[in-house]
């Protein structure tokens, strides 16, 4: 057995780890995260174990034995080193990248320890301590279960499934109160920067200066200060998006992942880690409770809950006896037949007009993320899918439609294969065009737009949200950033335009993401005194994800989605590994793909592997992009294939001029 040992305890410099042999008497005692004493040159140094393996490629004559090992301490830096080892082992990339992820720049800068640390809330109009909110019977059952487990020393993973407006945040607050009473600390992950201010207000009113926050829009110095304050124990609650997961708390008791289904918790840069999985692993390492909260849990999380891996907690009713919004589906194919070529159905037009007359607010949502290249028919709603994989194909500049799961390629003929209509192509509508139509249709209407173009500055999120909450606009138009977690009592109508766009993504999770988005969007309406309504416009009104979202029926959606994935061996019933190959030379992409495929199959001839095939976006900034896709029931088998690919690139004669990146699903 061999251990990778990081010899510098401080995190001011991330050097490479060194390989040591685990002597027989220390097998079982040497585990990731434990502190060890090892020989180094003529000295004996201490370090942390990053990972443990049963084999190594290093020459045996150069490997020395570990001298001694201390029992693992969950509250030490060793826990984060163990987490870095997990990230590297599971998601690939270099170990240096994993260490830099777990010990971000905020924790490793020097020179500020003796200076007063900046408070991220300076200048904000923070609330006074609010009144204690009484729990309803459902919320009380959730907190009683959590408290009983904590009192017994148990720290399971919970899946808190609660309908929109059911008061999940109140449950989070009571859970945090419990762990703080134990002398512990808590991390609260939120999916979007846009939600940071709103959550700060809620938690600050309960915990005051014990709360801090980080996000990518802060300066590096500000983020560094918050991590230093956490390491010193000056704060007890850290709120933020994905990077807050690596807050260096020494007495971590609770990790909350709000809206756990959100893909924004998955890193897009190597190592491409999945935030929920890493949160669960950190909870396991440090014996901390983990709460995954959502109105529409990911299929993977609900699958784990049904298996008993997670403990399921439910909130089935809205808090304060509020009713769910009335939801209707509009078939845009029929609107087209009736001569309406506008982006607004007649029902949505009438609904906006009525809200304006009653001085109530409307939100209009369109989701365009990830739909580039997918082709659908405006007349019959047909989407061109792969005949082998049942996922939408992507149109490339060469005039062919590609499947990015099996490499299947067919020519695009410019007409619908179902109804032969020529009204078929990729979607071009966006928020700016919708805003123009609203202004033209309703003279004098006050609008706000929230998308990537209007939220470039540091404070743009909060300014737009505050203006809408202060009733300075009648209609808020935006992308998916407007549908997550916001609470606007004046909104009584949510209009969802082109609801099926996200169904057209070339991804097996397209139906799940569509259900999530629609459920979240509908939940923004009717959160105040007046009843709410949501109108879903779609060319695929019979799709099971759209139908289930309109009824708020997660069970019906899960059963159909799980049956589909089980049949196709898609996660969580199987596992997949995407290997992205990039190069400025397209031929080198193909050569590297062919080489890696041959090396992996030589090591494991039974593993499924397809490609190399062009990515959905074949070139970015002059770099070509090709992919290999591996599938297997065992994630460990895929991890071994990744290691084979790494060794093939490092030690064999791999083609030059191409880089590889890994992404597990």
């Amino acid at each position: 057995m061999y251990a990778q040992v990081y010899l510098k305890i401080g995190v001011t410099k991330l050097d490479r780890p060194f390989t040591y042999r685990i002597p027989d008497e220390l097998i079982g005692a040497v585990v990731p995260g434990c502190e060890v004493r090892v020989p180094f040159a003529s000295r004996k140094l201490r370090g942390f174990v990053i990972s443990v393996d049963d084999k190594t490629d290093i020459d045996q004559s150069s490997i020395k034995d570990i001298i001694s090992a201390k029992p693992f301490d969950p509250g030490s830096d060793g826990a984060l080193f163990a987490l870095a080892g997990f990230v590297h082992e599971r998601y690939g990339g270099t170990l240096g990248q994993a260490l830099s992820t777990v010990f971000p720049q905020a924790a490793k800068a020097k020179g500020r320890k003796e200076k007063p640390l900046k408070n991220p809330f300076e200048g904000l109009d923070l609330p006074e301590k609010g009144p204690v909110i009484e729990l309803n019977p459902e919320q009380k059952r959730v907190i009683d279960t959590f408290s009983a487990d904590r009192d017994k020393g148990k720290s399971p993973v919970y899946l808190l499934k609660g309908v929109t407006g059911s008061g999940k945040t109140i449950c989070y607050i009571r859970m945090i109160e419990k762990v703080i009473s134990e002398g512990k600390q808590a991390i609260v992950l939120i999916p979007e920067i846009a939600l940071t201010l709103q959550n700060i207000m809620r938690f600050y009113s309960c915990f005051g200066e014990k709360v801090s926050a980080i996000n990518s829009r802060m300066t590096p110095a500000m983020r560094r200060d918050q991590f230093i304050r956490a390491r010193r124990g000056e704060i007890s609650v850290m709120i933020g998006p994905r990077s807050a997961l690596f807050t260096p708390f020494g007495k971590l008791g609770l990790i909350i992942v709000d809206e756990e289904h959100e893909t924004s918790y998955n890193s897009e840069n190597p190592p491409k880690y999945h935030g929920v999985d890493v949160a669960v692993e950190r909870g396991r390492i440090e014996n901390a409770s983990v709460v995954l909260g959502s109105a529409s849990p990911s299929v993977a999380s609900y699958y784990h809950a049904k298996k008993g891996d997670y403990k399921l907690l439910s909130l089935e009713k809205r808090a304060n006896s509020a009713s769910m919004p009335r939801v209707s589906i509009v078939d845009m194919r029929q609107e087209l037949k009736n001569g309406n070529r506008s982006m607004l159905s007649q029902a949505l037009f009438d609904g906006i007009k009525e809200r304006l007359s009653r001085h109530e607010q409307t939100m209009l949502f369109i989701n365009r993320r990830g739909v580039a290249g997918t082709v659908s028919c405006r007349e019959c709603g047909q989407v061109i899918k792969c005949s082998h994989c049942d996922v939408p194909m992507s149109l490339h500049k060469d005039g062919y439609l590609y499947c990015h799961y099996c490499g299947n390629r067919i020519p695009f003929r410019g007409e619908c294969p179902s109804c032969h209509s020529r009204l078929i192509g990729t979607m071009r509508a966006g928020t700016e065009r919708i805003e123009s139509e609203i202004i033209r249709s309703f003279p004098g209407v006050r609008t706000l737009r929230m998308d990537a173009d209007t939220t470039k500055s540091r404070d743009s999120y909060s300014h737009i949200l505050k203006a809408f909450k202060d009733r300075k606009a009648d209609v808020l138009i935006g992308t998916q950033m407007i549908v997550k977690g916001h609470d606007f009592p004046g909104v009584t109508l949510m209009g969802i335009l082109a609801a099926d766009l996200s169904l057209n993504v070339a991804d097996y999770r397209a139906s799940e993401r569509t259900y999530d988005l629609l459920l979240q969007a509908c939940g923004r309406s009717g959160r105040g005194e007046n009843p709410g309504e949501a109108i879903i416009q779609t060319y695929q009104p019979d799709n099971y994800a759209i139908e289930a979202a309109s009824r708020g029926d997660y069970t019906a959606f899960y059963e159909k989605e799980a049956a589909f994935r089980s049949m196709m061996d898609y996660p969580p019933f199987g596992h997949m590994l995407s290997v992205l190959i990039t190069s400025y030379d397209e031929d080198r992409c193909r050569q590297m793909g062919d080489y890696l495929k041959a090396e992996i199959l030589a090591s494991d001839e039974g593993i499924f592997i397809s490609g190399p095939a062009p990515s959905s976006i074949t070139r970015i900034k002059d770099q070509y992009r090709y992919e290999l896709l591996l599938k297997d029931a065992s994630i460990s088998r895929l991890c071994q294939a990744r290691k084979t690919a790494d060794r093939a690139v490092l030690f064999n004669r791999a083609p030059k001029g191409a880089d590889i990146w890994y992404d597990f699903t």
Side-chain angles (χ1 to χ4, degrees):
M1 297 289 289
Y2 304 91
Q4 294 286 307
V5 179
Y6 181 78
L7 296 178
K8 290 185 177 292
I9 297 177
V11 295
T12 57
K13 185 178 181 182
L14 297 176
D15 295 328
R16 71 177 181 89
F18 294 87
T19 301
Y20 286 89
R21 185 183 296 106
I22 304 174
D24 291 344
E25 65 271 18
L26 293 180
I27 290 178
V30 175
V31 295
C34 75
E35 188 176 345
V36 294
R37 193 162 176 252
V38 296
F40 188 79
S42 60
R43 297 177 291 167
K44 295 177 181 178
L45 301 178
R46 295 193 179 276
F48 287 112
V49 175
I50 297 290
S51 61
V52 173
D53 298 294
D54 57 3
K55 59 183 178 179
T56 180
D57 296 314
I58 297 175
D59 181 10
Q60 292 291 316
S61 63
S62 64
I63 302 177
K64 299 178 180 179
D65 285 0
I66 292 174
I67 298 171
S68 62
K70 287 185 176 181
F72 173 61
D73 177 8
S76 71
D77 276 342
L80 289 178
F81 278 106
L83 192 64
F86 169 81
V87 170
H88 172 61
E89 174 73 16
R90 174 64 62 85
Y91 303 106
T94 67
L95 187 52
Q97 288 170 334
L99 288 166
S100 295
T101 297
V102 174
F103 294 101
Q105 184 65 35
K108 50 181 178 171
K110 293 182 178 179
R112 296 182 60 87
K113 289 190 176 181
E114 302 305 321
K115 297 181 181 180
L117 303 172
K118 290 184 179 179
N119 186 320
F121 309 143
E122 288 179 4
L124 293 180
D125 184 17
L126 294 169
E128 299 291 334
K129 188 172 181 63
V132 176
I133 299 176
E134 293 296 326
L135 301 178
N136 64 31
E138 282 191 327
Q139 293 166 340
K140 189 175 186 303
R141 280 195 295 271
V142 166
I143 298 306
D144 287 347
T145 299
F146 177 83
S147 298
D149 285 340
R150 295 293 302 181
D151 291 342
K152 295 174 184 176
K154 296 180 179 179
S155 300
V157 178
Y158 301 92
L159 178 61
L160 177 55
K161 179 179 174 290
V163 300
T164 56
S166 60
K168 291 187 291 294
T169 301
I170 300 303
C171 291
Y172 299 156
I173 288 170
R174 291 297 180 88
M175 291 172 175
I176 294 171
E177 288 176 344
K178 174 63 177 176
V179 298
I180 287 179
S181 72
E182 300 168 356
K184 301 284 188 176
Q185 299 149 322
I187 295 171
V188 181
L189 300 185
I190 53 177
E192 295 283 344
I193 294 174
L195 300 180
T196 305
L197 181 61
Q198 180 172 306
N199 280 280
I200 285 171
M201 296 302 180
R202 292 178 180 178
F203 288 97
Y204 195 93
S205 67
C206 297
F207 303 109
E209 295 182 355
K210 292 181 181 179
V211 176
S212 187
I214 60 167
N215 62 64
S216 60
R217 298 206 172 203
M218 289 180 171
T219 65
M222 182 69 80
R223 293 197 300 271
R224 180 175 62 223
D225 283 350
Q226 306 325 305
F227 272 59
I228 292 173
R229 293 175 69 207
R231 187 176 290 279
R232 289 180 171 182
E234 295 176 7
I235 58 175
S236 300
V237 183
M238 181 68 85
I239 303 172
R242 188 176 60 232
S243 60
L245 176 57
F246 306 111
T247 301
F249 279 138
K251 297 179 180 179
L252 184 63
L254 174 64
I255 302 172
I256 293 170
V257 186
D258 192 28
E259 309 294 358
E260 62 85 26
H261 62 274
E262 287 289 345
T263 57
S264 57
Y265 288 125
N266 299 341
S267 172
E268 297 179 355
N269 299 312
K272 294 187 175 183
Y273 67 89
H274 294 186
V276 169
D277 292 341
V278 178
V280 169
E281 179 64 13
R282 185 170 185 188
R284 186 195 66 78
I285 291 171
E286 302 196 45
N287 195 30
S289 301
V290 178
V291 178
L292 311 176
S294 177
S296 54
S298 68
V299 171
S301 292
Y302 198 67
Y303 170 79
H304 285 301
K306 288 178 72 68
K307 280 180 60 183
D309 301 331
Y310 300 167
K311 198 167 188 175
L312 182 63
L313 304 172
S314 297
L315 298 171
E316 301 295 339
K317 299 177 181 178
R318 277 190 161 181
N320 303 320
S321 302
S323 60
M324 299 296 290
R326 184 178 77 256
V327 182
S328 58
I329 299 175
V330 175
D331 186 346
M332 294 303 287
R333 299 171 301 180
Q334 189 61 46
E335 292 287 313
L336 191 63
K337 290 179 181 178
N338 294 341
N340 181 9
R341 293 181 174 268
S342 165
M343 288 184 290
L344 304 178
S345 64
Q346 189 62 50
L348 183 54
F349 180 92
D350 293 342
I352 296 172
K353 184 177 180 180
E354 181 181 352
R355 267 64 186 189
L356 290 172
S357 70
R358 298 202 309 238
H359 303 290
E360 295 172 357
Q361 292 178 298
T362 298
M363 296 174 72
L364 298 177
F365 159 61
I366 183 169
N367 174 53
R368 297 197 64 213
R369 179 174 292 182
V371 300
T374 56
V375 175
S376 61
C377 176
R378 194 177 175 195
E379 193 156 339
C380 74
Q382 177 77 17
V383 178
I384 299 181
K385 293 185 176 183
C386 175
S387 59
H388 305 292
C389 304
D390 199 33
V391 294
M393 304 182 80
S394 295
L395 179 63
H396 287 240
K397 290 183 179 180
D398 61 3
Y400 282 85
L401 291 156
Y402 286 83
C403 172
H404 298 290
Y405 284 76
C406 70
N408 184 26
R409 186 184 79 158
I410 61 174
F412 176 55
R413 306 193 184 281
E415 71 172 26
C416 176
S418 178
C419 71
H420 305 291
S421 169
R422 306 294 293 184
L423 294 175
I424 187 169
T426 56
M427 180 67 181
R428 293 183 174 87
T431 54
E432 192 170 1
R433 183 179 168 191
I434 294 168
E435 184 179 40
S436 297
E437 181 153 342
I438 292 296
I439 292 172
R440 180 182 60 81
S441 301
F442 304 99
V445 68
R446 300 172 301 164
T447 64
L448 283 170
R449 182 161 53 91
M450 193 169 183
D451 53 26
D453 292 330
T454 63
T455 56
K456 291 179 179 178
S457 65
R458 179 181 175 184
D459 298 322
S460 52
Y461 285 98
S462 57
H463 288 162
I464 294 172
L465 295 174
K466 186 176 187 304
F468 191 62
K469 193 158 192 172
D470 291 344
R471 311 292 286 269
K472 294 180 180 178
D474 307 304
V475 180
L476 174 63
I477 304 156
T479 55
Q480 62 182 13
M481 63 180 71
I482 73 170
V483 305
K484 302 171 184 176
H486 302 299
D487 193 349
F488 300 115
V491 173
T492 58
L493 176 64
M494 166 59 82
I496 302 170
L497 285 71
D500 43 76
L501 269 185
S502 49
L503 286 173
N504 302 345
V505 179
D507 191 314
Y508 73 91
R509 294 160 293 194
S511 294
E512 176 181 0
R513 291 175 179 173
T514 298
Y515 179 88
D516 294 339
L517 284 168
L518 298 188
L519 196 72
Q520 291 290 330
C522 293
R524 297 313 104 199
S525 178
R527 298 172 75 94
E529 295 180 355
N530 298 322
E533 180 183 5
I535 297 174
I536 300 174
Q537 297 187 172
T538 176
Y539 289 93
Q540 301 179 52
D542 298 328
N543 181 274
Y544 67 89
I546 293 175
E547 285 190 331
S550 71
R551 302 191 307 269
D553 190 345
Y554 180 83
T555 301
F557 165 74
Y558 175 83
E559 288 176 352
K560 289 192 176 182
E561 182 69 7
F564 161 68
R565 294 198 192 181
S566 177
M567 179 178 63
M568 302 298 294
D569 289 328
Y570 289 145
F573 302 94
H575 299 279
M576 296 195 296
L577 168 62
S578 171
V579 183
L580 176 66
I581 306 152
T582 63
S583 176
Y584 289 103
D585 186 316
E586 189 170 9
D587 287 338
R588 290 181 179 178
C589 273
R590 295 193 193 97
Q591 291 166 8
M592 177 64 89
D594 290 335
Y595 169 76
L596 291 177
K597 184 175 183 177
E599 290 289 316
I600 292 170
L601 289 174
S603 175
D604 184 352
E605 63 180 13
I607 198 166
F608 172 87
I609 182 168
S610 70
S615 296
S616 55
I617 303 177
T618 308
R619 191 167 62 164
I620 297 177
K621 294 182 179 179
D622 294 325
Q623 276 199 324
Y624 291 92
R625 298 155 54 88
Y626 275 65
E627 286 184 72
L628 293 171
L629 182 71
L630 289 77
K631 292 172 64 176
D632 198 80
S634 168
I635 195 167
S636 61
R637 193 176 187 185
L638 295 180
C639 287
Q640 190 58 48
R642 177 192 62 75
K643 292 179 182 179
T644 298
D646 278 340
R647 285 194 294 269
V649 172
L650 289 173
F651 301 112
N652 298 343
R653 295 182 179 179
K656 305 297 182 184
D659 296 315
I660 59 174
W661 319 88
Y662 302 105
D663 190 7
F664 281 92
T665 56

